[in-house]
């Protein structure tokens, strides 16, 4: 047991999104604080991607840590069918106050993919329960909604999904709207809504994260949602990444005038402390499941549904979300990102610099690249050598930081990106 942790890891662990044959030994993290992860030697890394988009207020935040601890000494978990508990009820009550007023019901699960699975199943069964089954889903090209089968099916087909393509249900994809194609996209959506039995339209509101932080306009999304409403097709806003301030407002849907029927949350929901998923829906959706006919029940659930530890830390996170410095930090980061994007967009090796709220993305012009490109690997290694965790999506380098990140640390991230462009 004297062997170093990374070597022991390499004998027993299988890591996500990792080619284990060629991967470098993982970096063993022993503790974390604020925006920093610390390895065995005490070396600190700026967590500039919030540990896969989860962390909001900084690592090991004492307010969140003590909430879990207190809850663990009181009620760590109990079955959520036939039973309930205060953290789950309070979280629903408190979060509802921040959601569009049409959202009425909370369905708990335990991660982003399951929140999406629940949303898709709700939408299919919503139609089924009214004896007018609808079998199609519309999604955006380049979408990402998670790694389970339903979530994969409504995401872009890629090398990642190729082994599973025979098992993914058919989905109608439409392009992301731009100024140039907007009328055509609207027309295409209209045709699909008229000609197919469409149960739902699922989208990442305003920013497609995994696609490389591709942004699009609220007015465009509003128009597409309005078309769906006119055709009694449910709309699903997947706020798993965009939720809790990433886009500058608490939720990306806060930029919209048309509100979705169903919403999915995870990642930042617990401040990045615990796995938790929530799917919320309107009263109209919920009421389609109320019946004397027991077959209209929503038969879905997970062992850790509504876990009290996760709910209590989500409540503690909401305490911080509701403090004034939460929005101040978001606005501060937004201003820094805006200035950086403007500055870096003129660099000859930058294809495009995109930013929205606390997210900034720099697309490096380097011909055709992908997640598998060596450019991506060398960028990743370069940033690590600067003690910054930045995990490029193909040729797109993005920063999506915890809101406690200092201006000084942000400047280090910007400088590292500029330096790598100059190399
Ligand atoms: C990450 C992500 C998911 C999946 O969440 P997991 O918790 O990783 O399963 C779903 N939708 C979007 C938009 C995401 O970014």
């Amino acid at each position: 047991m004297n062997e170093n942790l990374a070597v022991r890891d390499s004998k027993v662990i299988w890591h996500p999104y990792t080619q284990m044959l060629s991967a470098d030994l993982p970096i063993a993290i022993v503790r974390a604080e604020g925006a920093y992860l610390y390895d065995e030697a005490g070396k600190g890394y700026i967590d500039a991607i919030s540990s896969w988009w989860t962390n909001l207020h900084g690592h090991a935040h004492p307010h969140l840590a003590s909430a879990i601890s207190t809850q663990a000494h009181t009620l760590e978990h109990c079955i959520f069918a036939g039973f309930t508990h205060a953290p789950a009820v309070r979280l629903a009550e408190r979060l509802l106050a921040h959601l569009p007023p049409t959202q009425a019901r909370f369905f708990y699960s335990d991660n982003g993919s399951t929140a999406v699975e629940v949303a898709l199943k709700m939408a299919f069964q919503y139609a089924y329960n009214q004896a007018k089954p609808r079998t199609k889903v519309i999604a955006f090209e380049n979408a990402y909604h998670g790694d389970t089968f339903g979530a994969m099916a409504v995401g872009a087909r890629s090398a990642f999904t190729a082994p599973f393509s025979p098992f993914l249900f058919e989905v109608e994809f439409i392009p992301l709207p731009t100024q140039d194609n907007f009328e055509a996209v609207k027309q295409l959506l209209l045709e699909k809504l008229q000609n197919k039995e469409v149960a739902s339209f699922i989208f990442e509101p305003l920013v497609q994260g995994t696609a490389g932080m591709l942004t699009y306009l609220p007015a465009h999304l509003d128009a597409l949602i309005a078309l769906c409403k006119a055709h009694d097709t449910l709309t699903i806003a997947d706020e798993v990444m965009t939720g809790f301030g990433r886009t500058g407002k608490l939720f990306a849907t806060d930029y919209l005038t048309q509100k979705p029927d169903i919403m999915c949350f995870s990642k930042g929901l617990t401040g990045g402390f615990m796995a938790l998923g929530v799917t919320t829906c309107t009263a109209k959706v919920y009421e389609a499941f109320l019946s004397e006919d027991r077959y209209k029940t929503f038969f879905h659930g997970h062992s850790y549904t509504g876990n009290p530890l996760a709910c209590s830390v989500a409540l503690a996170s909401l305490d911080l979300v509701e403090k004034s410095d939460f929005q101040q930090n978001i606005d501060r980061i937004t201003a820094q990102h805006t200035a950086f994007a403007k500055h870096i967009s003129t660099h000859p090796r930058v294809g495009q610099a995109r930013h929205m709220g606390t997210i900034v993305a720099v697309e490096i012009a380097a011909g055709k690249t992908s997640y598998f490109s060596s450019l991506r690997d060398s960028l990743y290694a370069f940033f690590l050598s600067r003690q910054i965790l930045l995990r490029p999506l193909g040729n797109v380098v993005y920063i999506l930081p915890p809101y406690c990140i200092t201006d000084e640390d942000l400047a280090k991230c910007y400088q590292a990106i500029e330096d790598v462009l100059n190399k």
Side-chain angles (χ1 to χ4, degrees), residues 309-331:
L309 299 175
C311 290
S312 66
V313 75
L315 281 163
S317 176
L318 271 187
D319 293 341
L320 303 186
V321 165
E322 288 166 356
K323 284 199 170 142
S324 62
D325 63 347
F326 179 77
Q327 189 64 44
Q328 279 163 17
N329 274 322
I330 287 172
D331 294 344

Side-chain angles (χ1 to χ4, degrees), residues 30-302:
V30 293
R31 68 181 193 90
E33 189 181 342
Y36 278 82
L37 303 169
Y38 294 94
D39 71 9
E40 290 171 298
K43 198 158 128 185
Y45 296 84
I46 301 174
D47 186 359
I49 58 162
S50 299
S51 280
W52 261 349
W53 316 349
T54 57
N55 193 284
L56 296 186
H57 317 287
H59 289 280
H61 194 291
H63 182 63
L64 278 67
S66 76
I68 296 182
S69 167
T70 305
Q71 186 61 44
H73 284 96
T74 312
L75 169 68
E76 85 300 339
H77 187 62
C78 77
I79 182 172
F80 207 61
F83 290 79
T84 192
H85 50 77
V89 176
R90 281 212 312 270
L91 179 58
E93 288 170 349
R94 270 181 74 186
L95 196 50
L96 271 178
H98 293 286
L99 299 183
T102 48
Q103 294 299 299
R105 290 279 164 174
F106 262 56
F107 194 98
Y108 285 110
S109 61
D110 46 25
N111 63 71
S113 302
T114 54
V116 167
E117 295 288 337
V118 167
L120 295 169
K121 286 177 72 173
M122 260 182 197
F124 283 131
Q125 195 178 339
Y126 170 81
Y128 176 92
N129 279 1
Q130 296 171 86
K132 35 180 190 188
R134 294 174 169 222
T135 57
K136 283 281 179 249
V137 179
I138 295 176
F140 280 129
E141 290 169 5
N142 298 316
Y144 178 79
H145 295 287
D147 284 352
T148 53
F149 274 93
M152 247 195 309
V154 296
R157 302 297 191 268
S158 70
F160 297 172
T161 61
F164 317 108
S165 60
F167 318 114
L168 302 181
F169 58 77
E170 259 182 65
V171 169
E172 301 286 325
F173 290 102
I174 59 172
L176 204 65
T178 63
Q179 294 291 13
D180 295 337
N181 73 7
F182 176 55
E183 287 306 321
V185 170
K186 233 169 54 178
Q187 190 56 36
L188 186 62
L189 176 63
L190 183 62
E191 280 163 23
K192 291 184 190 295
L193 290 169
Q194 284 170 340
N195 299 328
K196 315 260 178 179
E197 299 292 308
V198 183
S200 63
F201 167 42
I202 185 166
F203 49 85
E204 295 156 89
L206 307 188
V207 186
Q208 286 189 311
T210 304
M213 304 298 160
L214 297 179
T215 56
Y216 62 108
L217 295 177
H220 289 169
L221 184 54
D222 267 331
L224 302 183
I225 294 174
L227 269 186
C228 290
K229 287 198 189 301
H231 290 82
D232 202 19
T233 288
L234 296 179
T235 52
I236 303 171
D238 176 356
E239 290 253 20
V240 169
M241 185 281 280
T242 50
F244 301 94
R246 300 295 182 197
T247 65
K249 296 197 185 209
L250 192 54
F251 299 108
T253 37
D254 293 344
Y255 289 94
L256 302 176
T257 47
Q258 297 286 335
K259 301 301 181 185
D261 300 290
I262 298 176
M263 300 178 75
C264 306
F265 307 93
S266 188
K267 291 194 173 133
L269 172 61
T270 61
F273 269 59
M274 298 230 7
L276 182 66
V278 172
T279 309
T280 65
C281 70
T282 59
K284 182 181 81 168
V285 172
Y286 174 71
E287 281 159 14
F289 293 76
L290 303 180
S291 175
E292 299 293 330
D293 177 356
R294 300 186 64 167
Y295 289 104
K296 292 191 175 175
T297 305
F298 191 47
F299 292 111
H300 187 105
H302 299 277

